[in-house]
Amino acid sequence: MTSPDGSYEISDLAPGNYKVAFYYDSQIREWWDDAADIGSARPISLNAGEVRTAVDARLDALVSLPEPVFTEATCSSLANLKLGDFEHGTWSWTRADGPMGSGDSFDGEPEMLKFGAAYTVTANFDEGWGTTGLSTWRHVFHEPSGCDGSTSGRVSRLEGVDRFATAVEASESEFAAGVDVVYIANGLNFPDALAAGPVAAANGGPVLLVAPWFVPDVVKDELERLQPKRIVVLGGEPSVNASVLTELRGFTSGRVSRLEGVDRFATAVEASESEFAAGVDVVYIANGLNFPDALAAGPVAAANGGPVLLVAPWFVPDVVKDELERLQPKRIVVLGGEPSVNASVLTELRGFTSGRVSRLEGVDRFATAVEASESEFAAGVDVVYIANGLNFPDALAAGPVAAANGGPVLLVAPWFVPDVVKDELERLQPKRIVVLGGEPSVNASVLTELEQHVSAP
């Protein structure tokens, strides 16, 4: 995140070549410099010990402008639709009987606008977006769920007004009152919650998210419902302040304890030590400085009764080595390719198992999650959980519920389903799909795409 004047600072980067994307409103707007996609982006080379000033972007490419907003169609017709406001420009809608201007409504007969038909929206945007130009979207109206049985609720959403409420929705969907344990983690950062997923799954409890300094009301309500026998907090100060533990003591008749280490790597080790005995079949290893690979590891780790431990991309922290010495796993599986976890790390890991050290990797985070799914889940799974792969909060809560239902977590972009994910859904043929998060985390158009990949009832 930039400061108000647009400046930013990134530290602790390993030497190598980097490509930089600029996000706005959860969408990639541009790659450096002035590139529309990662393939055409110009890399930035960083040498050992080198300090570089931040690269700047004016977002001239404007890869993705805000899309027009359409009001929801009714089951009976597409009458009374209205195009949403479009700041800094005007647009028109080409349809059967001519163009439509910004804000105009259409009250024509239902047959003039048809479900499944494509319509074109053309936007003329002005200097309010930093440049001038023309952009066009193709919009297809799909019949809303429940109109003709074509979308029989087999693709559903678990969503709340924010990340805390979405985690509560996930908890409510699976866990009954009287659970043995609830795990609590900082919802504004990802490392501690990543380690919570496998231990929560092993103990049949949810992961709920809090702010570092307070428990949101929606989380308090869920704890009142769950009445857990104990509560375990992941992370030390300042991840979750002591005042939060004091609040949490009012929601259990048992103990409120902490699993904490001096850093994210040590906290993941503490979680592992709390649940997993020596001689585990498998340990999963993921980059602890980023979240996507570890998210995909959670459900497969839970299915195989093993922990997820975190490493730096270029070395194994000593505390993790000590835990691997204790666990003596029969095999080790690394999530992610180069540069997420360097080959030198795999070489180090071979000293901690008598079995194989293997990699589950794809060309990107979406493909790596697919590799994890393919490694464990057979066709005909009951459910697949879908989460935004460009942000972490929604997927954090998905791990325990996915594990409880024997399904994987797959990642999508907010506005489309990557082809590699479509292929995996075709292979899995799930009976249902559950999306974590609301708009704009995962757009409605994504749910429409997902409908095509649910097995027939």
Side-chain angles (χ1 to χ4, degrees):
M1 299 294 291
T2 65
S3 62
D5 65 0
S7 63
Y8 61 95
E9 187 175 290
I10 301 172
S11 58
D12 301 326
L13 289 178
N17 292 322
Y18 293 87
K19 292 190 175 183
V20 180
F22 294 86
Y23 288 77
Y24 177 74
D25 192 26
S26 299
Q27 295 192 31
I28 295 178
R29 299 294 178 175
E30 186 174 309
W31 290 82
W32 195 76
D33 69 303
D34 291 337
D37 53 55
I38 191 170
S40 58
R42 186 153 68 95
I44 298 167
S45 179
L46 187 66
N47 299 319
E50 182 181 9
V51 177
R52 294 191 57 139
T53 56
V55 295
D56 293 329
R58 188 169 165 261
L59 301 187
D60 286 334
L62 285 174
V63 174
S64 177
L65 289 169
E67 295 191 16
V69 178
F70 298 87
T71 58
E72 186 177 355
T74 64
C75 288
S76 59
S77 74
L78 287 168
N80 298 311
L81 287 169
K82 184 176 181 179
L83 288 170
D85 295 330
F86 184 59
E87 190 180 6
H88 304 305
T90 59
W91 42 253
S92 63
W93 181 14
T94 302
R95 57 178 174 81
D97 61 348
M100 173 184 282
S102 175
D104 292 343
S105 62
F106 171 62
D107 298 306
E109 293 299 317
E111 61 268 24
M112 296 183 71
L113 288 166
K114 298 182 182 297
F115 292 120
Y119 297 88
T120 300
V121 178
T122 301
N124 294 284
F125 48 95
D126 59 26
E127 288 291 343
W129 288 105
T131 187
T132 58
L134 183 71
S135 189
T136 301
W137 294 269
R138 180 180 180 272
H139 187 84
V140 178
F141 289 105
H142 293 277
E143 192 159 15
S145 298
C147 293
D148 63 358
S150 62
T151 57
S152 55
R154 290 175 290 132
V155 175
S156 61
R157 250 194 222 274
L158 293 172
E159 62 176 311
V161 295
D162 56 25
R163 61 190 64 193
F164 308 107
T166 295
V168 164
E169 288 291 318
S171 173
E172 286 182 342
S173 75
E174 184 60 34
F175 300 102
V179 292
D180 180 64
V181 61
V182 169
Y183 287 83
I184 299 288
N186 179 340
L188 304 185
N189 207 353
F190 59 85
D192 298 335
L194 291 177
V199 292
N203 285 288
V207 174
L208 296 179
L209 306 178
V210 298
W213 53 94
F214 73 95
V215 183
D217 288 342
V218 68
V219 178
K220 291 179 183 176
D221 292 342
E222 177 64 355
L223 289 168
E224 283 283 0
R225 183 189 74 83
L226 287 170
Q227 289 292 300
K229 296 181 176 66
R230 59 192 175 102
I231 295 173
V232 179
V233 175
L234 273 290
E237 297 265 1
S239 287
V240 180
N241 292 1
S243 60
V244 171
L245 273 72
T246 301
E247 281 193 88
L248 293 172
R249 289 189 180 100
F251 298 99
T252 179
S253 58
R255 187 178 174 214
V256 176
S257 59
R258 226 193 245 276
L259 294 172
E260 62 177 310
V262 296
D263 56 24
R264 62 189 64 192
F265 309 107
T267 296
V269 164
E270 289 291 318
S272 173
E273 287 182 341
S274 74
E275 183 61 32
F276 301 101
V280 291
D281 181 64
V282 62
V283 169
Y284 288 83
I285 300 288
N287 180 341
L289 304 186
N290 207 353
F291 62 87
D293 298 335
L295 289 176
V300 292
N304 285 291
V308 175
L309 296 179
L310 306 177
V311 298
W314 53 94
F315 73 94
V316 182
D318 288 342
V319 68
V320 177
K321 292 178 184 177
D322 292 342
E323 177 64 355
L324 288 169
E325 282 284 1
R326 183 188 74 84
L327 288 170
Q328 289 293 300
K330 297 180 176 67
R331 60 192 175 101
I332 295 174
V333 179
V334 175
L335 273 289
E338 297 265 1
S340 287
V341 180
N342 292 0
S344 60
V345 171
L346 272 72
T347 301
E348 282 193 88
L349 292 172
R350 290 189 181 100
F352 298 99
T353 179
S354 58
R356 188 178 173 215
V357 176
S358 60
R359 230 194 241 275
L360 293 172
E361 63 177 310
V363 296
D364 56 24
R365 62 189 63 192
F366 309 108
T368 295
V370 164
E371 289 292 318
S373 173
E374 286 182 342
S375 75
E376 183 60 33
F377 300 101
V381 293
D382 180 65
V383 62
V384 169
Y385 287 82
I386 299 287
N388 179 340
L390 303 185
N391 208 352
F392 62 86
D394 298 334
L396 291 176
V401 292
N405 286 288
V409 174
L410 296 178
L411 306 177
V412 298
W415 54 95
F416 74 94
V417 182
D419 288 342
V420 68
V421 178
K422 291 179 184 176
D423 292 342
E424 176 63 356
L425 289 170
E426 282 295 327
R427 183 189 72 84
L428 288 169
Q429 287 293 296
K431 297 178 179 66
R432 58 193 177 99
I433 294 174
V434 178
V435 175
L436 273 289
E439 297 265 1
S441 288
V442 180
N443 292 1
S445 60
V446 171
L447 273 71
T448 302
E449 282 193 85
L450 293 172
E451 279 287 347
Q452 303 167 34
H453 302 287
V454 185
S455 63

